Amino acid sequence: MDEKTQKLSLKRELNLVGAVSLIGGTMIGSGIFMSPQTVLYTIGSPGASLVVWACCGLLVILASFCYAELGTVIKESGGEYIYILRTSGPVIAFMLIFSSVLFVRPAGVAGIALSFAQYVVAPFYSDCTPPVLLVKSVAAVAILALATVNCLNVRFSMSLQVFFMVAKVLALAVIIIGGVVMFFKGHTENFENSFANTNTGINPIGIAFYQGLWSYDGWNNLNYVTEELKRPEVNLPRAVVIAISLVTGLYLLVNVSYLTVMTPKELMSSTAVAVTWGNKMLGSWGWIMSVAAALSAFGSLNGTFFSGGRVCFVAAREGHMPDILSMAHVHRLTPSPALIFTTIISLVVLIPGDFQSIVNYFSFTAWFFYGITLSGLLYLKIKKPELPRPYEVPIILPILVLIAAIFLVLAPIIDNPEIEYLYVTLFIFSGILVYIPFIHYKLCPNLLTKLTVFLQLLFEVAPAEKNL
């Protein structure tokens, strides 16, 4: 048994196709079916909304190039957490993991689950808004179902991912083809004077970016599972370029299609854009779009689970989370304790949450830490140029993305300060209060050891080694 425990590690099972499906499949989630109306409403004009979508795509491509370099220099799983730990030190890394595990990840899971639920119940409530309790119950069932799948089998979870990826690309293709047909039939009136009424304030631009970037969330997912990727130095940059270029192109075409079929007013008043589009274009077959959007959100939820459990797992391995979270199942080799923990917190966030506010606070926190991660890359480039770099980006890229990240964090606060952003910031920094007694001075170790042994036997898990 001793020899077996020492050799337990996550397998390298992810090839290029799986990697592209993981990034693309998680990015194309609920966002493109839920955010277009908010982006348009906030920014005020069809032309400007398309510019926002294109800029979001460009920003994400530049950021992911920087991440690809980080992923080939620091070859460990864990995404931002491991990069901040290696460049900025343990205190800031703990602040990230604290807010990520207790808020950002569960908020992401809850937000996607809510939009999945909205699209599942939409066809049954075509004339009125569905009851909140019903929507939240459906969302909770989806979270539990996917948690179970991810705890049981990695390979099945990945084949699910490829299946959902195909389903969503087909759904977006239907929307795009419908839009192109209408466009060539001469329905271009919504694009005349397309920049009239644009809001140019700092706050609307910031919030429009938050909503747009929510649809691109998942671009950094591959960096969470570097240790499970075959030949990361080749496949990481390739998968990023293929997946993100594909998604940006699809999003722009889908938005053009929405605006060709619906007037800006119809688009802004819709709660589920794809369903409104489906009813106008497909008539009585409009429910198909609802099914497609629900499948899309479900696939995105699966991808978020697959990589989200891994972050907990890496943090526990570094001693920033209870040991039990760093263990993998003895036979199935899945990090089940970390997944179970993420599920419980997600269900708690689901109870009070509503979609719009979850998205804004989620983006605010996420870009705060993306900024710190990119300054870490700049530090490595300037102070440690001798490190082996199989893939390298020019230094101007992280500088540009860092400026964008600073703008995104400060824009909503400067122009229109809301007390909620203060709460979120205090919550991020409250991680320090937990760090000093429990991590730095290691209070109450005996209690945790007994609990760990009990849970280890209960879940049949053992400590896992690093794959480097």
Side-chain angles (χ1 to χ4, degrees), residues 138-179:
V138 173
V141 170
I143 291 173
L144 290 168
L146 279 177
T148 313
V149 168
N150 275 285
C151 283
L152 294 180
N153 189 328
V154 172
R155 197 168 281 146
F156 180 62
S157 156
M158 280 322 292
S159 46
L160 262 185
Q161 198 58 13
V162 176
F163 165 72
F164 286 123
M165 174 76 181
V166 173
K168 339 169 160 187
V169 174
L170 283 175
L172 293 180
V174 168
I175 293 180
I176 290 166
I177 292 165

Side-chain angles (χ1 to χ4, degrees), residues 141-437:
V141 170
I143 291 173
L144 290 168
L146 279 177
T148 313
V149 168
N150 275 285
C151 283
L152 294 180
N153 189 328
V154 172
R155 197 168 281 146
F156 180 62
S157 156
M158 280 322 292
S159 46
L160 262 185
Q161 198 58 13
V162 176
F163 165 72
F164 286 123
M165 174 76 181
V166 173
K168 339 169 160 187
V169 174
L170 283 175
L172 293 180
V174 168
I175 293 180
I176 290 166
I177 292 165
V180 167
V181 170
M182 294 294 280
F183 193 81
F184 284 114
K185 277 186 178 172
H187 289 266
T188 53
E189 58 277 2
N190 293 340
F191 296 102
E192 289 156 15
N193 300 331
S194 60
F195 285 92
N197 304 325
T198 305
N199 298 327
T200 50
I202 297 176
N203 188 46
I205 293 173
I207 296 287
F209 265 91
Y210 276 0
Q211 292 288 335
L213 287 164
W214 161 264
S215 307
Y216 285 96
D217 186 63
W219 57 270
N220 53 349
N221 258 358
L222 205 51
N223 291 70
Y224 292 119
V225 294
T226 317
E227 290 173 37
E228 290 166 75
L229 182 65
K230 294 173 182 168
R231 295 174 59 218
E233 63 287 344
V234 179
N235 285 335
L236 189 71
R238 273 190 197 165
V240 156
V241 174
I242 296 169
I244 298 175
S245 315
L246 179 78
V247 170
T248 307
L250 282 173
Y251 279 5
L252 279 172
L253 290 167
V254 166
N255 273 290
V256 169
S257 172
Y258 285 154
L259 287 164
T260 310
V261 175
M262 296 180 262
T263 63
K265 208 168 242 145
E266 282 175 317
L267 184 59
M268 286 190 267
S269 59
S270 163
T271 50
V273 201
V275 176
T276 314
W277 185 95
N279 292 340
K280 288 199 75 167
M281 281 296 289
L282 308 170
S284 58
W285 290 88
W287 58 271
I288 289 179
M289 292 320 295
S290 190
V291 172
L295 277 180
S296 172
F298 199 69
S300 188
L301 199 53
N302 184 41
T304 307
F305 256 113
F306 181 77
S307 60
R310 302 298 187 271
V311 187
C312 257
F313 173 79
V314 174
R317 210 168 56 182
E318 298 293 335
H320 280 182
M321 285 269 144
D323 285 342
I324 184 72
L325 295 178
S326 70
M327 298 186 186
H329 195 279
V330 182
H331 305 299
R332 302 197 183 99
L333 299 181
T334 55
S336 45
L339 287 164
I340 293 165
F341 182 73
T342 305
T343 309
I344 294 167
I345 304 276
S346 301
L347 293 172
V348 173
V349 173
L350 189 65
I351 297 164
D354 78 292
F355 184 76
Q356 297 298 338
S357 52
I358 284 179
V359 171
N360 286 348
Y361 306 140
F362 173 92
S363 297
F364 172 80
T365 317
W367 281 89
F368 177 78
F369 286 112
Y370 293 159
I372 296 175
T373 309
L374 290 160
S375 47
L377 176 60
L378 286 173
Y379 165 80
L380 286 177
K381 276 183 157 329
I382 296 162
K383 294 280 188 196
K384 300 195 176 170
E386 75 285 349
L387 287 175
R389 286 179 167 77
Y391 175 84
E392 196 168 355
V393 294
I395 196 158
I396 186 72
L397 280 194
I399 293 172
L400 286 174
V401 184
L402 183 58
I403 292 168
I406 293 169
F407 168 78
L408 282 169
V409 169
L410 295 180
I413 301 175
I414 292 171
D415 203 37
N416 182 13
E418 284 181 18
I419 192 77
E420 285 84 357
Y421 289 112
L422 176 67
Y423 294 152
V424 175
T425 314
L426 287 175
F427 177 72
I428 294 172
F429 283 98
S430 66
I432 300 173
L433 301 178
V434 179
Y435 180 83
I436 294 166

